[in-house]
Amino acid sequence: MPELALVLQMFLIIVAIAIVLHKSKFTIIILISAFSLIAATLYMMNQAPDVAIAEVAINAAIIPLIYVISISRQREFIVLDKIRHGFIDPNEKLTGEVYEALTAFTSKNNMKLNVCCDISGSEEVLTRDLNVDLILDKLPDSETYILKGRASNLLFARLKEDTKDIEHIKIELIEDGDALD
Amino acid sequence: MIYAPVLFVFIPIIIAIAVFLIKSPKAHYLVFLSQAALIVLFVLYALFLSANPDQNIIVFGGWDARFAISFYNDWLSLVFIGLTIFMWTVILLYTFKINYAQKKLFFFLMFLEGVFLGLIQTNDLFNMFVFLELTTVLVTILIVYRKGGEAFKAGLQYMLLNTVAAMFFLIGIILLYYVYGTINIRVIASEIALYSDYNIVKFAYVLMITGLCVKAALFPLFTWLPRAHGVAQASISALLSGLIVKAALYIFLRVNFDMFSNAYSMSEMFFWLGAISALVGVVIAMSQKDLKQILAYHTVSQVGIIMMGLAATGPIETLFTNPAAFGGLLHAVNHAVFKSLLFLAAGSIIRVYQTKKVYEIRGVFKTMPWTAIVLIVAMLSITGAPFFNGFISKSLIKYGFKQDALKMIVFTIVNLGTMISFVKFSQILFGPKQKLIVDRQYKQHFAMSLLAIASLVIGLAYYPIFKSLFALTWGGALYLDYLIYIEYIGYMALAVLIFHFVVKRDYLPFRLLRGSPISFLTANSIFVFSMIVIGLFVFL
Amino acid sequence: MNPILSFVVILIGIYGLAVSTNIIKSVFCVTIIEAGLILLFLNLGQYEGGLIPIMEALGIEIVDPIPQALMITTIVIGSTITSLALMISIKIFHITGSIEWKDFLKRK
Amino acid sequence: MPLTKYILIILLGLVLAMFIVSFADYQEIYNNISRLFYETNGFLDTGSRNIVTAIYLDYRLFDSLFEAGILLVAVSGINWISQHGAEQENAHFMLDKFKTPELFITFSRLVYPIMLLFGIYIVLNGHNSPGGGFQGGAVIASALLILFYIDLKKSTNMRVIMTIEKWLFVSLVSISAISLLTRGVLFTNFIPLDADADLKSIYLIALNIIIGAKVALGLTAVFIAFLKEGR
C-alpha cells in the first residue's frame, strides 16, 4: 500500500512540473483537475477522507469550471455595435470592411470577436464595468466609422496601428478617469 | 465583563451585516453607534483588566486550554485595541460624507474592524492565520473598490504576495504543532525551551519570520506597499499604512518575543533589517514625484524605525520597562496617528486639486487653510520636532542605543532623510491662492483635527500618561534642556540645504529609483532569497 | 509517503510563481502550493496502524485528527483566494488589454 | 532570463536542503498528546463519531465561524467587482447563441438528482460518516451549477442569495453563542455535556445544515457572478 502512495506522489510532482512549464492555458486546466484528483487520492491514503471530499468537491469540480469561464472571457474582444440594430446572427457573415478589419485583428491575436448591440449606459460604465473593449459608431451623414476605446488598453493601441491604412475610420480615445481621491 | 473581547470582535461584524441588510442609506449611521459602543466597552474592559489582571484569558468551549481556541489580553493588546478603535472612528468620520451611498464600503470596513480586533486578541496560531487571510481578502477588496485599472493590478499583487507569505506562516505553524502537540501560544511559550534547539523548530521559526517580513513590508519585500497606496482611496491607505502593517509587527512581537521568547537571540539581525529598510525607504521616498508615493515609501522607512526600536525587547514584560522597546511601541502608535493624518490630508488636497504630482500643487496654505494647518502639525511630528509625539518616541529609541556610535549615525541619517523628503512634501504649502472650488467638509476637518490633537496631546502630556498608565518615570524634564531645540533646527536647516542642491535637481540616481519598480516575479524570487538569508542567520 | 516529496511540490509551486508570465499561471501555482502544503501536513501526522478518525468502536487507534480539521479551512480559504484573483484578472484583461506580468509595469 | 532561473533553482535547492536537515531529527520529538486526547474523549464530549467534524464544529468552532465569514466576504467582494448598473435585458451577444449540446443536457439531467442527493447525504450525517457542512455544501453547489449549464438565461437574483447568506451567518453565530446560556461557556454545543450522544448530535446536524446551505449558496453565487460577468 505505501509503495502506491510513493508512486502517486512522484506522479503528482510530474504533473506539477507539467503545469508550471506548460504554455497553452486550456491543457493546464485539465492538468489542474488531474492534479487535484491525484492529491485527493493521496489524502485518502493518508487516512483523511474529509479533506479528500473537500478537495474533490471544491478544487476538482468548481474551481476548474471557474478557470474555464475566466479564460474564455479573456479571449473575447467585445465590440458594442451602435450602428445596425438588426439581430446579430453568429453564422451570418459580417459585411463591410470595418468588420473585415475587426475579424482580421481578432484572428491575428487568436481572440474571438463578440459583437453585441443595444446596451445603454455611459462610456465610462460600459468600458469599466461591462468590459466593452470597443464601441463602434457611425456619423449619420458621413461614411466614416468611429472606433472608441480606452486609452490604457494595449489591444486598442494595436488596433490603431492595424487600421491606419483604412481611410474612413476615426479613432477616439476614452480617457480612464483614475479615481483621484 | 470577562466576555468583552468577544464583543469587540462581533459588534462591528453584526453592525456590518445590519448595514448591508437594511435598504435605506440611513442605516449607515449605525456605524457610529457601533464605534460608540466599542469605545465604552474598551474603557470598561481596560478598568476591569487593571482591577483583576489574572482574568485575561478566555477559553472558548470550556475545554482544556491546550486544545481549544482562546483569547489573551495584556497591556500590549489593550494599547493596540484602543489604537484600532480610535483610528476606525476617525476614518469613518472622514469617509462618511464622501461615500454616503456606498453600502458595501461600510460593510467591508466594519467587517475588517471586527476581524482586526480578533487578530490582535487571538491566542491560537491557526486562528491567527485565518484572521490574517481574512484581513488580506478584505484589504484587497477595499483597494479594488474604486475599480480603476491600476487599482486592480495593485490589489492582485497585494493579495497574491500576502497569501503566499501567509501560507509559509502556516507551514511554520504545522511544524510547531507536530513538535509541541498544541497550537496555543501561551502553552508553547511555556514549553519552548524543551525543543528549541532542534533543527525543525528553527526551520519553523525561519518560515514564520519570513512570512511576517512580507506582511510587515520590511526591507527586501516591501514592493507591494507603494503600489497598494498609490491607488487606494485616502481613507483606505490611511488604514493600510496606519494599522494593517502594524498588525504584522504586533504578530512579530507575539511570535518572536512572546512565544519563542527570543530563543535564537536574533535582535541584532532584526535591528539591522529595520535600519536597512528605513534607509532604503527614505532614499526612494526622496526621489518620488507622486504625493501618495512619498508617503507610501515613508511608511516603509518608519516601519523600519519601529523595528529598530522593537528589536531591543527581551521577554514581553520588558516591553514596558526597556526604553528602546517602549519607544518602538510608542512610535508604532504615533506613526499610526500622524501617517494616517498625512494620508487623509493628502487625499482631500488631491480631491480638490485633481492632481497627484507634488510639483503641480501649490498654495495649499491659502486655498485650504484648515487642511494646511493640520498637515503642518503632521509634518512636524513625523520629522520629530519637539512638543510633538514623533519626538518622544524617536528620542526613546535613540536612548536605547546611546553608546553605539554606528547605530546613532544610521539613526541620524534616517532622520535627516525624513526631514528632506518632508521638505519636498511641504513645497505644496507655499504659493498664491488658487481659485479652486473647496467644498466645506466639516466631518473631514473634524476627523483630521482629532488626529492632530491626538499627536499634540501625546507630545505635550507624555509624562503624566506614562506615569498613570504604565508607571514609567523616564524623561521627566525632556523639554527643559535647550539642546534638543538647537539640534532639531540645525538638522532642519541642513535638510533644506540638501534638498535645494541635491534632490531638486533630480539627478540620475533619483530618476533610476523612481523608474524601476520590482515586478511580481522578481518579488517572489527575492522572497525565497530572504528566506535563505534568515535561515543562515538562524542555523549558523 | 514521506513529507520531503510533498515539500518538493511546495517548492515547484514557488518556482512556478516566480517564473509564470501571466496572471492565470500564477493563480495555478498558488493552488499547487496549497495542495503541497496540505500533503505535507497530512504526511507528518502519519504512523503505522493509524485508522480513519471515525470512532466506530471506542478504543481504536486513529490518525491525528487536528490537521484534517485545519486543512478543510485552508482549502476553503484557497478557493476564495483563487476565485477573487480570477475575477480581478478578468477585469484587468478588459481594462488594460493584457494579463502578462510584464505589461503591468509600463507607466503610461 | 535563463540565468535567473538557474539561480532560482539553486535557491530552492538550498531551502529543500534546509528542510531535509531539519526533518532528520523529527521522528524522536513527534508529540502525540493531542491525538491521544481526541482518541479518548473525542466521542464522549461531542457525541460525533467523526472526530474531524467534532473538532471543527465543537472544539474549534471559532475557526469555522470565521471560515464561513471569509466565504461571505469573498462572495460580496466578487459580486461588487462584477456589479454593473447598465440595464441590458434585451442585449444579445453573438457568442452566447450557441446551444449547449444535446448529449450534455440529457446526461446532466441524469446526474443532477444523484449529485444533489449525494450532497444532502454528506451534509446530513456529517457527524457519523466522513463529510460535513463544507464538503456537502460544495457538492450541492456543483450540482446546482449543472442547472446553469443547461439553460444559460436562468436569471437568479443575486441580491436574494446574498441576503439569505447573511441571515445564515447571523444564525450560525447565534446558535454557537446560545451555549453561553446553557453551559456558561461560549462557542460550543449548547446541549449540556453529560447528555446522551444522540441528543448532542442534534446540534451537530443543525450546524452542518446551516454551514452546508451557506457554502452551497456562496459557491453558486460566485459561479453566477462569473457567468454574468460582463453581460
Side-chain angles (χ1 to χ4, degrees), chain D residues 8-230:
Chain D
L8 200 61
I9 292 169
I10 296 162
L11 292 182
L12 291 174
L14 275 172
V15 174
L16 186 63
M18 261 208 289
F19 179 73
I20 292 169
V21 158
S22 60
F23 182 66
D25 56 16
Y26 166 70
Q27 284 316 336
E28 313 120 27
I29 51 176
Y30 169 65
N31 180 331
N32 50 21
I33 303 166
S34 62
R35 183 167 56 79
L36 299 176
F37 169 79
Y38 286 115
E39 253 173 34
T40 48
N41 42 32
F43 174 64
L44 304 174
D45 287 352
T46 57
S48 114
R49 273 185 211 301
N50 181 353
I51 302 296
V52 177
T53 320
I55 288 174
Y56 79 76
L57 278 188
D58 203 334
Y59 287 109
R60 298 181 68 89
L61 179 60
F62 197 66
D63 270 350
S64 317
L65 281 187
F66 280 95
E67 194 187 323
I70 200 170
L71 207 64
L72 183 79
V73 163
V75 166
S76 334
I78 288 172
N79 180 285
W80 166 255
I81 291 174
S82 75
Q83 212 172 10
H84 48 73
E87 73 297 334
Q88 22 111 22
E89 289 339 324
N90 45 27
H92 28 72
F93 283 73
M94 197 171 75
L95 279 187
D96 291 359
K97 297 291 162 307
F98 65 89
K99 284 283 295 142
T100 47
E102 211 49 47
L103 183 67
F104 184 80
I105 293 180
T106 46
F107 181 72
S108 55
R109 270 208 202 92
L110 196 68
V111 163
Y112 172 68
I114 300 168
M115 281 182 77
L116 205 60
L117 223 60
F118 180 58
I120 292 168
Y121 166 79
I122 289 182
V123 168
L124 278 189
N125 36 40
H127 56 285
N128 287 336
S129 73
F134 294 107
Q135 302 88 336
V139 172
I140 296 174
S142 47
L144 292 178
L145 303 195
I146 295 178
L147 275 186
F148 286 108
Y149 252 90
I150 296 172
D151 49 358
L152 215 51
K153 279 292 164 284
K154 188 173 177 50
S155 74
T156 49
N157 184 340
M158 278 291 268
R159 197 155 171 62
V160 168
I161 291 181
M162 302 228 313
T163 354
I164 298 172
E165 216 187 331
K166 301 246 175 331
W167 282 114
L168 284 173
F169 183 75
V170 169
S171 58
L172 192 65
V173 171
S174 49
I175 284 182
S176 46
I178 298 174
S179 63
L180 183 64
L181 315 175
T182 55
R183 268 170 62 176
V185 280
L186 259 176
F187 298 126
T188 176
N189 193 337
F190 54 81
I191 297 166
L193 206 54
D194 44 22
D196 177 18
D198 300 344
L199 202 60
K200 276 191 238 175
S201 56
I202 297 172
Y203 161 82
L204 295 172
I205 296 174
L207 270 191
N208 265 332
I209 292 173
I210 292 178
I211 293 181
K214 193 180 171 323
V215 169
L217 279 178
L219 292 176
T220 333
V222 164
F223 187 74
I224 298 170
F226 269 94
L227 260 182
K228 282 198 184 320
E229 166 55 24

Side-chain angles (χ1 to χ4, degrees), chain A residues 50 73 76 113 115 120 131, chain D residues 50 87 94 131 227 229 231:
Chain A
D50 291 72
R73 283 287 189 276
E76 271 175 10
L113 181 65
V115 182
S120 62
N131 301 345
Chain D
N50 181 353
E87 73 297 334
M94 197 171 75
L227 260 182
E229 166 55 24
R231 285 297 180 272

Side-chain angles (χ1 to χ4, degrees), chain B residues 154-218:
Chain B
L156 188 71
Q157 281 177 4
Y158 171 80
M159 185 163 73
L160 288 180
L161 210 57
N162 277 336
T163 311
V164 171
M167 281 194 186
F168 274 83
F169 188 75
L170 182 60
I171 300 178
I173 296 174
I174 295 169
L175 297 176
L176 281 185
Y177 167 73
Y178 276 111
V179 170
Y180 290 97
T182 169
I183 314 180
N184 192 323
I185 292 180
R186 296 263 76 71
V187 174
I188 294 182
S190 57
E191 292 169 3
I192 192 75
L194 297 178
Y195 305 108
S196 72
D197 47 11
Y198 280 90
N199 285 339
I200 196 137
V201 177
K202 283 183 185 163
F203 187 65
Y205 178 78
V206 165
L207 291 178
M208 289 173 97
I209 293 298
T210 324
L212 286 178
C213 279
V214 172
K215 293 201 87 63
L218 284 177

Side-chain angles (χ1 to χ4, degrees), chain A residues 43-114:
Chain A
Y43 299 158
M44 194 51 212
M45 284 186 181
N46 289 334
Q47 269 80 34
D50 291 72
V51 188
I53 299 176
E55 169 86 17
V56 165
I58 295 180
N59 278 357
I62 298 171
I63 297 289
L65 227 53
I66 292 182
Y67 275 129
V68 165
I69 292 175
S70 59
I71 286 176
S72 65
R73 283 287 189 276
Q74 272 158 9
R75 293 192 29 221
E76 271 175 10
F77 190 75
I78 299 176
V79 173
L80 174 63
D81 178 0
K82 280 189 171 139
I83 309 162
R84 260 184 349 172
H85 292 294
F87 178 66
I88 303 264
D89 187 351
N91 37 42
E92 170 248 312
K93 258 342 268 123
L94 294 165
T95 56
E97 83 229 283
V98 171
Y99 291 120
E100 270 93 29
L102 284 180
T103 37
F105 171 74
T106 41
S107 53
K108 190 156 70 69
N109 298 325
N110 59 54
M111 282 198 292
K112 288 173 287 184
L113 181 65
N114 189 352

Side-chain angles (χ1 to χ4, degrees), chain B residues 79-396:
Chain B
V79 164
F80 267 87
I81 293 173
L83 181 67
T84 321
I85 297 174
F86 171 69
M87 288 296 296
W88 241 276
T89 327
V90 167
I91 297 291
L92 285 172
L93 272 173
Y94 182 85
T95 59
F96 198 79
K97 188 61 71 187
I98 308 164
N99 328 55
Y100 181 70
Q102 304 282 355
K103 180 189 290 293
K104 282 267 177 83
L105 183 74
F106 290 111
F107 170 72
F108 289 127
L109 263 178
M110 292 312 290
F111 210 98
L112 183 59
E113 183 185 11
V115 165
F116 197 78
L117 286 172
L119 179 67
I120 290 172
Q121 299 168 9
T122 179
N123 183 22
D124 183 275
L125 279 174
F126 187 76
N127 202 4
M128 198 180 268
F129 165 74
V130 172
F131 279 132
L132 269 177
E133 287 286 335
L134 243 158
T135 319
T136 313
V137 168
L138 276 164
V139 170
T140 318
I141 296 171
L142 284 173
I143 289 175
V144 163
Y145 196 78
R146 280 283 167 82
K147 296 199 210 176
E150 289 297 321
F152 281 123
K153 289 188 210 171
L156 188 71
Q157 281 177 4
Y158 171 80
M159 185 163 73
L160 288 180
L161 210 57
N162 277 336
T163 311
V164 171
M167 281 194 186
F168 274 83
F169 188 75
L170 182 60
I171 300 178
I173 296 174
I174 295 169
L175 297 176
L176 281 185
Y177 167 73
Y178 276 111
V179 170
Y180 290 97
T182 169
I183 314 180
N184 192 323
I185 292 180
R186 296 263 76 71
V187 174
I188 294 182
S190 57
E191 292 169 3
I192 192 75
L194 297 178
Y195 305 108
S196 72
D197 47 11
Y198 280 90
N199 285 339
I200 196 137
V201 177
K202 283 183 185 163
F203 187 65
Y205 178 78
V206 165
L207 291 178
M208 289 173 97
I209 293 298
T210 324
L212 286 178
C213 279
V214 172
K215 293 201 87 63
L218 284 177
F219 165 61
L221 306 155
F222 58 85
T223 52
W224 55 269
L225 192 84
R227 290 200 193 99
H229 281 285
V231 289
Q233 302 172 33
S235 45
I236 310 294
S237 25
L239 265 183
L240 189 66
S241 70
L243 279 171
I244 314 283
V245 180
K246 303 292 177 309
L249 286 174
Y250 173 80
I251 295 172
F252 171 75
L253 275 177
R254 280 279 182 235
V255 163
N256 188 14
F257 293 112
D258 205 357
M259 192 164 76
F260 279 98
S261 64
N262 214 352
Y264 308 108
S265 66
M266 298 269 288
S267 45
E268 199 55 30
M269 179 249 180
F270 287 130
F271 177 87
W272 288 111
L273 190 65
I276 300 167
S277 67
L279 278 171
V280 166
V282 155
V283 167
I284 302 179
M286 274 192 277
S287 67
Q288 292 299 332
K289 273 205 168 61
D290 184 333
L291 215 56
K292 285 199 171 182
Q293 295 294 330
I294 295 180
L295 296 178
Y297 280 107
H298 231 276
T299 309
V300 173
S301 81
Q302 297 287 333
V303 164
I305 292 175
I306 295 169
M307 182 57 94
M308 282 155 87
L310 289 182
T313 50
I316 273 291
E317 301 74 31
T318 62
L319 193 63
F320 293 93
T321 52
N322 174 343
F326 188 74
L329 178 66
L330 185 65
H331 199 64
V333 173
N334 294 341
H335 178 262
V337 169
F338 52 68
K339 183 45 66 72
S340 55
L341 178 54
L342 280 167
F343 267 112
L344 295 183
S348 46
I349 289 171
I350 289 172
R351 197 177 320 106
V352 166
Y353 278 80
Q354 288 303 324
T355 165
K356 284 186 180 176
K357 291 287 175 277
V358 174
Y359 294 108
E360 288 158 12
I361 301 176
R362 277 297 174 272
V364 167
F365 195 80
K366 292 194 173 57
T367 42
M368 302 162 71
W370 188 259
T371 322
I373 295 167
V374 161
L375 199 64
I376 289 168
V377 165
M379 276 198 269
L380 284 176
S381 54
I382 197 168
T383 48
F387 298 116
F388 289 93
N389 56 5
F391 176 74
I392 309 293
S393 45
K394 280 189 177 169
S395 53
L396 274 175

Side-chain angles (χ1 to χ4, degrees), chain A residues 80-177:
Chain A
L80 174 63
D81 178 0
K82 280 189 171 139
I83 309 162
R84 260 184 349 172
H85 292 294
F87 178 66
I88 303 264
D89 187 351
N91 37 42
E92 170 248 312
K93 258 342 268 123
L94 294 165
T95 56
E97 83 229 283
V98 171
Y99 291 120
E100 270 93 29
L102 284 180
T103 37
F105 171 74
T106 41
S107 53
K108 190 156 70 69
N109 298 325
N110 59 54
M111 282 198 292
K112 288 173 287 184
L113 181 65
N114 189 352
V115 182
C116 56
C117 55
D118 53 46
I119 302 174
S120 62
S122 78
E123 269 148 15
E124 178 60 22
V125 168
L126 279 175
T127 50
R128 189 170 52 132
D129 295 351
L130 268 166
N131 301 345
V132 168
D133 294 321
L134 187 72
I135 300 172
L136 188 63
D137 212 338
K138 194 165 147 223
L139 294 179
D141 46 11
S142 76
E143 187 50 44
T144 57
Y145 289 94
I146 302 169
L147 302 179
K148 286 200 211 110
R150 289 184 76 95
S152 66
N153 197 329
L154 298 174
L155 286 177
F156 192 67
R158 267 183 240 142
L159 184 66
K160 260 198 293 184
E161 281 90 31
D162 292 359
T163 59
K164 263 210 181 11
D165 45 11
I166 305 173
E167 69 287 356
H168 46 69
I169 276 188
K170 198 158 74 59
I171 306 281
E172 270 176 32
L173 287 179
I174 305 172
E175 278 313 317
D176 41 7

